[in-house]
Amino acid sequence: MDKKKKSCTFAFTMKQLLIILMVLCCPCKMEAQDYFTVMSYNVENLFDTIPDPGKDDKEFLPEGEYKWTRPRLFKKLKDISKVIVGTDTVKPCEVVGLCEVENDTIMTYFLERTQLRKLGYKYIMTNSADQRGIDVALLYSPRRFRLIHHESIRIKTKKSTRDVLYASGIMPRGDTLDIYMLHLPSQLGLDEAERNRRMIRDRILNHADSVATKRNKPTIIIMGDFNDELRGKRMAPYREHGFIDMTEGKKPGSYKYKGDWGNIDHIMLRTTRTERMESGITSMPMLLERDKSRGGKKPRRTFLGTHYHGGVSDHLPVWIRLSLK
């Protein structure tokens, strides 16, 4: 080989080495197709403006105490859709769980009359015996989460409460993901509410154990509004069943009560995966406002009492990303 050819070969080899070094040394973001994002959001009393026979929704009608009108409804829907799109700036979340959604009308509005219509989401939801008609729902991208089964799980309690939505589907790399979307009873009612929360918790944990025995490598999520910070002994039953709280200690918190931030919206994860996982709380500027009485920031609510305040929700969304590598 003559000197000219040797020189060209050496130059080409050095170029290849430089490219390899750049790829190895530069901190690059994970490509969109390499992770799977799940989000949970309590959207604060998302009612339509139409009377629902058999449900106590009269407060959220145009003539009701909250003066809930179509312009206010559609503003809220558009704001929530901005939050869903803005939580992951690279690609849409594959699965979005929603608490405090009234019915199919609301979900249809979401998919047809907001920017979500361009994203191809489908939805499933419960039809609970809750007196106010409040339910939970899942938006999902059928291209990235192939739904194979879903059902409502109803737990019989003395006072009718919200059903739990269970769904299983296939993620892009072929693994099955099982999700439980719930909205546990509030702290109102004290002892009875606590008993109901424990009853629902135990039923779901046992159901999850049964599902895990059918999976080669189970990945199971329990998420939603737990109405509890789940510290210490309250978290112990979840740990005993192999769950970790992916939102524990995340800032600023998902809910602010009497000036203190807390995490009452959780994403519990049980998995055999060893890949990288991330989680967080969405705190976009549009979701917050100055807390004049307590200091710092607080969620910008839709209502202050019965007064229309124009915000999105009294909760912040929580999310988790699973690596698919």
Side-chain angles (χ1 to χ4, degrees), residues 34 101 107 115 121 125 138 155 212 216 218 222 224 242 265 268 299 317:
D34 289 336
V101 179
M107 299 308 296
Q115 60 182 307
Y121 281 118
M125 71 181 304
L138 280 180
I155 293 86
N216 183 30
I222 303 175
D265 301 272
M268 302 288 180

Side-chain angles (χ1 to χ4, degrees), residues 248-299:
E248 183 179 9
K250 297 295 179 180
K251 301 297 182 183
S254 66
Y255 188 78
K256 194 173 187 181
Y257 180 67
K258 292 185 177 179
D260 294 323
W261 283 100
N263 290 321
I264 66 172
D265 301 272
H266 302 270
I267 298 181
M268 302 288 180
L269 177 67
R270 173 176 173 174
T271 185
T272 54
R273 289 174 169 272
T274 56
E275 296 92 338
R276 184 158 61 97
M277 293 172 286
E278 299 174 296
S279 60
I281 295 175
T282 301
S283 54
M284 300 161 62
M286 66 178 288
L287 298 178
L288 298 166
E289 66 180 350
R290 187 164 65 90
D291 190 341
K292 297 177 183 178
S293 59
R294 304 280 182 168
K297 299 282 188 178
K298 65 179 180 179

Side-chain angles (χ1 to χ4, degrees), residues 217-268:
K217 293 183 178 181
T219 298
I220 304 173
I221 286 175
I222 303 175
M223 67 180 188
D225 181 353
F226 288 66
N227 268 306
D228 196 336
E229 294 203 50
L230 299 178
R231 294 172 179 167
K233 292 181 180 179
R234 292 177 182 271
M235 183 60 200
Y238 295 96
R239 291 197 185 99
E240 290 168 5
H241 288 259
F243 286 90
I244 57 173
D245 185 358
M246 297 299 296
T247 52
E248 183 179 9
K250 297 295 179 180
K251 301 297 182 183
S254 66
Y255 188 78
K256 194 173 187 181
Y257 180 67
K258 292 185 177 179
D260 294 323
W261 283 100
N263 290 321
I264 66 172
D265 301 272
H266 302 270
I267 298 181
M268 302 288 180

Side-chain angles (χ1 to χ4, degrees), residues 84-323:
I84 292 172
V85 172
T87 289
D88 191 327
T89 57
V90 178
K91 63 173 180 58
C93 299
E94 278 80 2
V95 176
V96 178
L98 300 173
C99 293
E100 297 197 11
V101 179
E102 186 182 14
N103 52 32
D104 293 282
T105 301
I106 289 293
M107 299 308 296
T108 302
Y109 288 162
F110 255 133
L111 299 185
E112 295 181 359
R113 302 194 186 187
T114 72
Q115 60 182 307
L116 297 184
R117 68 183 181 276
K118 300 176 182 178
L119 301 180
Y121 281 118
K122 294 185 180 297
Y123 80 92
I124 51 177
M125 71 181 304
T126 58
N127 184 16
S128 302
D130 179 76
Q131 293 177 345
R132 297 175 67 225
I134 286 291
D135 284 294
V136 297
L138 280 180
L139 290 169
Y140 66 95
S141 171
R143 291 172 293 183
R144 301 273 293 171
F145 182 72
R146 181 164 59 84
L147 186 68
I148 54 178
H149 176 74
H150 70 93
E151 63 181 280
S152 290
I153 300 174
R154 181 163 295 181
I155 293 86
K156 292 183 179 180
T157 57
K158 288 183 178 179
K159 183 179 178 180
S160 296
T161 188
R162 296 169 284 266
D163 294 351
V164 176
L165 181 58
Y166 165 64
S168 59
I170 307 297
M171 294 186 289
R173 299 294 172 91
D175 291 339
T176 302
L177 174 64
D178 296 278
I179 299 177
Y180 298 86
M181 182 66 197
L182 52 77
H183 185 185
L184 295 184
S186 72
Q187 298 285 351
L188 298 175
L190 299 176
D191 291 345
E192 182 181 352
E194 178 63 23
R195 282 195 299 271
N196 290 342
R197 281 197 299 275
R198 286 200 302 265
M199 191 182 304
I200 297 168
R201 176 201 68 198
D202 293 345
R203 172 75 179 277
I204 297 312
L205 288 173
N206 290 333
H207 193 284
D209 284 344
S210 177
V211 167
T213 62
K214 303 172 186 177
R215 307 288 184 240
N216 183 30
K217 293 183 178 181
T219 298
I220 304 173
I221 286 175
I222 303 175
M223 67 180 188
D225 181 353
F226 288 66
N227 268 306
D228 196 336
E229 294 203 50
L230 299 178
R231 294 172 179 167
K233 292 181 180 179
R234 292 177 182 271
M235 183 60 200
Y238 295 96
R239 291 197 185 99
E240 290 168 5
H241 288 259
F243 286 90
I244 57 173
D245 185 358
M246 297 299 296
T247 52
E248 183 179 9
K250 297 295 179 180
K251 301 297 182 183
S254 66
Y255 188 78
K256 194 173 187 181
Y257 180 67
K258 292 185 177 179
D260 294 323
W261 283 100
N263 290 321
I264 66 172
D265 301 272
H266 302 270
I267 298 181
M268 302 288 180
L269 177 67
R270 173 176 173 174
T271 185
T272 54
R273 289 174 169 272
T274 56
E275 296 92 338
R276 184 158 61 97
M277 293 172 286
E278 299 174 296
S279 60
I281 295 175
T282 301
S283 54
M284 300 161 62
M286 66 178 288
L287 298 178
L288 298 166
E289 66 180 350
R290 187 164 65 90
D291 190 341
K292 297 177 183 178
S293 59
R294 304 280 182 168
K297 299 282 188 178
K298 65 179 180 179
R300 181 170 170 78
R301 309 172 59 129
T302 305
F303 287 94
L304 295 175
T306 59
H307 172 71
Y308 179 67
H309 189 55
V312 187
S313 175
D314 54 349
H315 291 244
L316 297 180
V318 295
W319 55 264
I320 179 174
R321 291 189 187 117
L322 301 173
S323 169

